[in-house]
Amino acid sequence: DPEVHPQNEDYWGHVNPIGPRACYDEGKRVAETMCYAYMKQEGVEVRVARIFNTFGPRMHMNDGRVVSNFILQALQGEPLTVYGPGTQTRAFQYVSDLVNGLVALMNSNVSSPVNLGNPEEHTILEFAQLIKKLVGDGSEIQFLSEAQDDPQKRKPDIRKAKLLLGWEPVVPLEEGLNKAIHYFRKELEYQANNQYIPKPKPARMKKGRTRHN
């Protein structure tokens, strides 16, 4: 749960090392540590992208993330499950923007970490309401108990990516969501024809990750 907002690359983080998200949070942190240790020891080139919430077609419908959960629930006429009051914020980027950012980073000489994300911040409740509108379904929004260690704010500071990579997201949120919804709808139709209907993950976390991450 960050103490600095928005989060820039110089911020060291605020992480519970033994909480339910610890494997997810600390796994990313130790990956950076090992990359830079190997860079110093062996002189290899390293690029580190700090990726913020990303969505788009071909994401796994049952991955337990907020985008896939909300879309799947809305398309199936089920309540959209919001953990806590829904005031938690996230920043969602479309997958093509992320790919362009990764390519720009790989082709650069920037060896320090770079945030790749969309600085347009939304509450989880706003996001649920937007999904309802785009799907055009009458699903209700259901509030459940708050997940442990669920970050309350998330917004990347992308000034470094703009300055050093000439990169920033360009795909509007609604445009990206419409593409993801279209993909999910087609997948549901295909799987219904094959007698398999996926269900959103009901648990509060998956492999140490809370639902809203």
Side-chain angles (χ1 to χ4, degrees), residues 17 46 50 140 163 194:
V46 167
R50 291 182 177 166
E140 298 179 352
L163 178 64
N194 287 274

Side-chain angles (χ1 to χ4, degrees), residues 62-64 69 72-73 81 83 199-203 206 211:
N62 273 9
D63 66 6
N69 266 8
L72 193 57
Q73 288 167 338
T81 51
Y83 293 84
K199 293 292 182 182
K201 296 291 183 181
K206 177 174 180 284
R211 289 280 68 79

Side-chain angles (χ1 to χ4, degrees), residues 13-25:
H14 178 223
V15 174
N16 177 0
I18 58 171
R21 291 172 49 93
C23 291
Y24 175 66
D25 293 337

